[in-house]
Amino acid sequence: MLTAAIHNLPTMPELIDGLPNISGWEPELASVMQSQQPVFLTNTNLRLEEVSAAFAIALHMHQPTIPAGVDRGLINHLQYMFEHSQEGDNHNAAPFAWCYSRMGDLIPELVAQGCNPRVMLDYSGNLLWGLRQMERHDILDNLKRITCDPTYQPYVEWLGTMWGHAVVSSTPIPDIKLHIQAWQHHFAAIFGWEALARVRGFSPPEMHLPNHPDTLYEFVKALTDCGYRWVLVQEHSVETLTGEALPDKYLPHQLVARNSQGEVATIVALIKTQGSDTKLVGQMQPYYEAKTRDRQTLGEISIPSLVTQIGDGENGGVMMNEFPDAFKRACYDMRDQGTSGAKTVAMTGTEYLELIAAAGVTPDRFPTCQAIHQHQIWQRVPSDRITPEAVATAIADLQQTHPQIHFEGASWTNHMSWVRGYENVLTPMNQLSAQFHQQFDPLLAQSTDRAAITRSHPYRQALLHNLLLQTSCFRYWGQGAWTDYAQQIYEQGKAAISDHS
């Protein structure tokens, strides 16, 4: 049950002077996201005692914003694909657009057929803005149907993310929270405050979990400050507090982040199993894996195991072509299970956590985990002697004696570094961030009306370019056109800040 206060909040514009609404309503965000009320429990049609195991799948959707429009204007890469269909794989533009929309058709179809589907959706801010720029109102309206209509909303959970698809470990620390809040602003402007109040899980871009103690701490603290209750992490990016692989990836964990000052922040983590291959989701492997699992005991309370997986929602032939039928077949199979015995069912992450909480399993009962390689740091730094200098010395020692260990974090693209070899992107990225904060932080500190600044066009334009420059694609796709795009965004952002100074 949502509080009456949410219903009294003003409707936010989605676009302001042609820019996405990504700032200016921070107090309203806080009032919505700090609510502790359940968001799925009152509407779920599942009974925990009837479930042997569950699975949760998430679809990750992203297209970057690039300066490739008229006069180097900012457009979405999907638009570029449509306009340059002869290049590379750009002939897939129409199938990609269909993938962004199709859950709005699949969910109502399956519900009408007596099925009980579930899906989690993770769309970057870049993509949401790009769809509106392209006037693909049909796609956004289809998504609104399953997000806001009470008939279908219980079957769909949105996950928050970094607005500009930024990899957390290489994002300037002051900008981590800005990305998180920018996405919340933009999502609420499109789908409404009530829809935002149901967004309680977070999906990091590239499934990337920073493992530098200070960055991890700031990330976890930003998530909890912004009202998130849980984060999706990859099993290979975390370890037990004693440095081993997780013994049970089918239970929720408590992610512990300790910084170089000895401060600790925690958040619930759902563990994404196995690798990053979209075939796992495209062929509904999580469902078939869950069918082999059973209930487990946690704190003397029996709860279902949860298999959790995420994959690109549009990328590759399996997701484009095979997923819809595989998704339907799994839903039909669940619908047609016999009435005797416990069942395997689909759930969303928050729905699962709220159901087990109602059964008495609270986060303090969850097993703990930490980011990979943390144990080797804390072995070298006694708990009563944690200082920034001691942690820095421990990290330097580790990198000297174990050159294979790095503290850029871990993701589903562990074959590449998000830092090494990209100084021509990272240097301007850090410079633009510094210029942005040098320009606006003193104004915000002195102002008695922060909204007057954060709702202003100069602030929003500078913030937009700052967040866009941190998009992972400018490093993922290698040197050349993509790093050139980054340089152009840097120049545009620098000019926007200079015009205001």
Side-chain angles (χ1 to χ4, degrees), residues 62 261 360 375 444 453 476 487:
H62 169 61
Q261 304 280 355
H375 178 62
L444 290 168
I453 298 171
Y476 185 89
Q487 185 62 38

Side-chain angles (χ1 to χ4, degrees), residues 26 31 202 241 259 268 341 347 377 383 418 434 444 446 461 471 481:
E26 288 77 14
S31 69
F202 191 89
L241 299 191
N259 69 7
V268 172
M347 289 189 186
I377 295 176
S383 59
W418 294 104
L444 290 168
Q446 298 164 10
Q461 188 175 51
T471 302

Side-chain angles (χ1 to χ4, degrees), residues 420-440:
R420 292 189 294 274
Y422 287 96
E423 289 78 9
N424 59 331
V425 175
L426 291 172
T427 297
M429 189 179 91
N430 287 316
Q431 289 174 345
L432 187 64
S433 175
Q435 292 166 15
F436 172 82
H437 289 283
Q438 287 166 5
Q439 175 64 34
F440 291 103

